[in-house]
Amino acid sequence: MGTERWLQALDVAVLALLLLPLLQLCRAGYDGRLWWRVSTTDLLPVASPLTVSVPISAWYAAFFAVSGYAAVAALANGHIVHLALIIVAVEAGYGIWRRGCKPAPLGASAPTAVIAFALGQNALSEELLFRGVPLLFAWIGGFEDEPIWQYIFVVASASAFGVYHCRTSGRARLFDTTLYGAVLAWVAVWSGVASAILLHLTHNALAVPLNQTAATMPAWLRQRRIWLVAVFLLAGARLGWSLGLSAR
């Protein structure tokens, strides 16, 4: 196998790893009683008359369609390795930020299928509101490539994202969600809104210990660390290899 084939194989391996948390989210959210039930859901993460009534399974189809498109597009344009390393950096940053605060299993009053659905729906709707809508207006106005607009967009989008989460989750979330919003906004400018949705979905899928108990939590945390290390090693090896080849 030639060098180029090995590099392509590493790219595909990274892509498969990125989609793994989404498959686990879908598995955790599957409930035969709810899967085909029609749900009236807010399209925006704020109170508005914009709602849609579709089966819950259709939302999952949307999650995978968008994230799958983002992953394949990132593979085609050479962004997959960089996107993977951004995801690892975000998760490592949250690990440092929340050091000493270990996640706890969900209580019996929180149905896993409902929580899993909310994690995916929130990621999709928040990205469309905070990143997609402004970028759409910029594209219509023909100034989406203007550097000054991109800087304004990143700052404004991050600030709005932070304030929104501050109001819904408390002041303690202002700093980390603003910084996270800046990362998502920059990714949306650099690689498209679909890539920001993929990053957001992956983070949400890794953030909550779905279907876990006190006895299984250590294994869940260990598997999460193994996933992050595997993504980092594969993406880092791919990036280092390509940089080494270009330096020759």
Side-chain angles (χ1 to χ4, degrees), residues 27 40 121 125 164 205 216 247:
R27 179 183 177 186
T40 300
Q121 195 269 342
S125 60
Y164 165 73
T216 62

Side-chain angles (χ1 to χ4, degrees), residues 122-180:
N122 285 347
L124 186 60
S125 60
E126 286 175 6
E127 290 312 304
L128 291 177
L129 174 64
F130 292 107
R131 260 63 71 175
V133 171
L135 288 176
L136 175 62
F137 280 110
W139 177 75
I140 292 174
F143 52 87
E144 74 276 12
D145 293 327
E146 295 292 334
I148 185 62
W149 149 252
Q150 294 177 355
Y151 288 126
I152 293 173
F153 164 71
V154 169
V155 173
S157 175
S159 300
F161 191 70
V163 170
Y164 165 73
H165 282 87
C166 178
R167 294 186 62 184
T168 58
S169 304
R171 293 182 180 179
R173 298 299 314 278
L174 178 61
F175 177 78
D176 69 298
T177 54
T178 300
L179 186 58
Y180 183 39

Side-chain angles (χ1 to χ4, degrees), residues 1-19 71 74-76 78-85 229-245:
M1 183 182 287
T3 300
E4 190 63 29
R5 291 291 182 88
W6 279 112
L7 293 176
Q8 291 173 354
L10 283 175
D11 284 340
V12 173
V14 171
L15 183 149
L17 280 177
L18 289 185
L19 294 180
L75 182 66
H79 290 172
I80 191 70
V81 169
H82 303 85
L83 190 60
L85 291 175
V229 170
V231 173
F232 175 75
L233 291 177
L234 279 178
R238 171 63 174 87
L239 182 61
W241 195 348
S242 60
L243 290 176
L245 290 175

Side-chain angles (χ1 to χ4, degrees), residues 1-219:
M1 183 182 287
T3 300
E4 190 63 29
R5 291 291 182 88
W6 279 112
L7 293 176
Q8 291 173 354
L10 283 175
D11 284 340
V12 173
V14 171
L15 183 149
L17 280 177
L18 289 185
L19 294 180
L20 185 59
L22 304 185
L23 291 172
Q24 293 174 337
L25 180 68
C26 183
R27 179 183 177 186
Y30 178 74
D31 186 326
R33 297 167 299 173
L34 300 175
W35 197 251
W36 300 107
R37 183 177 297 177
V38 174
S39 172
T40 300
T41 310
D42 291 332
L43 282 176
L44 301 177
V46 294
S48 76
L50 299 176
T51 60
V52 62
S53 297
V54 295
I56 289 178
S57 57
W59 276 104
Y60 280 100
F63 304 156
F64 276 99
V66 174
S67 57
Y69 165 79
V72 173
L75 182 66
N77 59 28
H79 290 172
I80 191 70
V81 169
H82 303 85
L83 190 60
L85 291 175
I86 290 171
I87 290 174
V88 171
V90 167
E91 297 308 316
Y94 265 104
I96 295 172
W97 177 256
R98 296 173 180 171
R99 183 173 50 190
C101 300
K102 294 184 178 180
L106 298 176
S109 61
T112 298
V114 175
I115 297 298
F117 169 68
L119 290 172
Q121 195 269 342
N122 285 347
L124 186 60
S125 60
E126 286 175 6
E127 290 312 304
L128 291 177
L129 174 64
F130 292 107
R131 260 63 71 175
V133 171
L135 288 176
L136 175 62
F137 280 110
W139 177 75
I140 292 174
F143 52 87
E144 74 276 12
D145 293 327
E146 295 292 334
I148 185 62
W149 149 252
Q150 294 177 355
Y151 288 126
I152 293 173
F153 164 71
V154 169
V155 173
S157 175
S159 300
F161 191 70
V163 170
Y164 165 73
H165 282 87
C166 178
R167 294 186 62 184
T168 58
S169 304
R171 293 182 180 179
R173 298 299 314 278
L174 178 61
F175 177 78
D176 69 298
T177 54
T178 300
L179 186 58
Y180 183 39
V183 173
L184 290 167
W186 178 81
V187 167
V189 170
W190 165 65
S191 190
V193 176
S195 291
I197 292 173
L198 173 61
L199 194 158
H200 201 152
L201 279 169
T202 303
H203 171 70
N204 282 7
L206 294 169
V208 180
L210 300 171
N211 285 334
Q212 302 302 318
T213 64
T216 62
M217 277 299 296

